[in-house]
Amino acid sequence: MASKFHLKTAKDGQFHFNLLAGNGEIILTSELYKSKPSALNGIESVKNNAQREGAFEVKPAAGGKFHFVLKATNGQVVGQSQLYASEAGCQNGVEAVKKNAPTAALHDDS
């Protein structure tokens, strides 16, 4: 299975997406968007920023775990990861986004 962006509608009518790796695992989750065009712009932002130097920020989380955020050039967070047990695992997640985002297809369930 190829990587894909999965666009969905939230319970409150807003839109969000996940980036899934080829194995179906979620590797990035977006914020909520008020409109579908805004969510689609968010997907393009992930694709464009995934290869940009300095776009990812790895952060410590509670319980000794780690997560990362992907920021656009204006500093706005366009996606974040799940929690990882180690910093090395989190770095692997960053690499997975870098590898998968630019060519991921769109699966629209909104």
Side-chain angles (χ1 to χ4, degrees):
M1 178 170 111
S3 59
K4 65 182 176 182
F5 286 97
H6 187 194
L7 179 62
K8 300 185 275 186
T9 306
K11 292 178 184 176
D12 65 359
Q14 295 187 80
F15 298 86
H16 64 103
F17 60 84
N18 292 314
L19 173 60
L20 285 75
N23 63 2
E25 182 178 331
I26 295 173
I27 54 177
L28 185 84
T29 300
S30 77
E31 63 181 355
L32 290 170
Y33 295 91
K34 294 186 185 298
S35 70
K36 185 174 180 176
S38 294
L40 293 171
N41 285 341
I43 289 171
E44 287 305 310
S45 182
V46 170
K47 287 182 172 191
N48 293 334
N49 286 291
Q51 300 296 313
R52 187 174 57 79
E53 186 68 33
F56 289 92
E57 184 179 339
V58 173
K59 298 180 170 189
K65 296 188 176 188
F66 294 86
H67 75 284
F68 65 82
V69 295
L70 172 61
K71 294 183 177 182
T73 53
N74 65 2
Q76 182 178 1
V77 174
V78 292
Q80 63 184 346
S81 71
Q82 309 294 324
L83 291 177
Y84 291 89
S86 69
E87 189 171 1
C90 190
Q91 289 292 348
N92 288 340
V94 167
E95 293 305 316
V97 173
K98 288 180 178 181
K99 175 185 172 189
N100 289 282
T103 59
L106 175 63
H107 181 83
D108 188 348
D109 275 339
S110 64

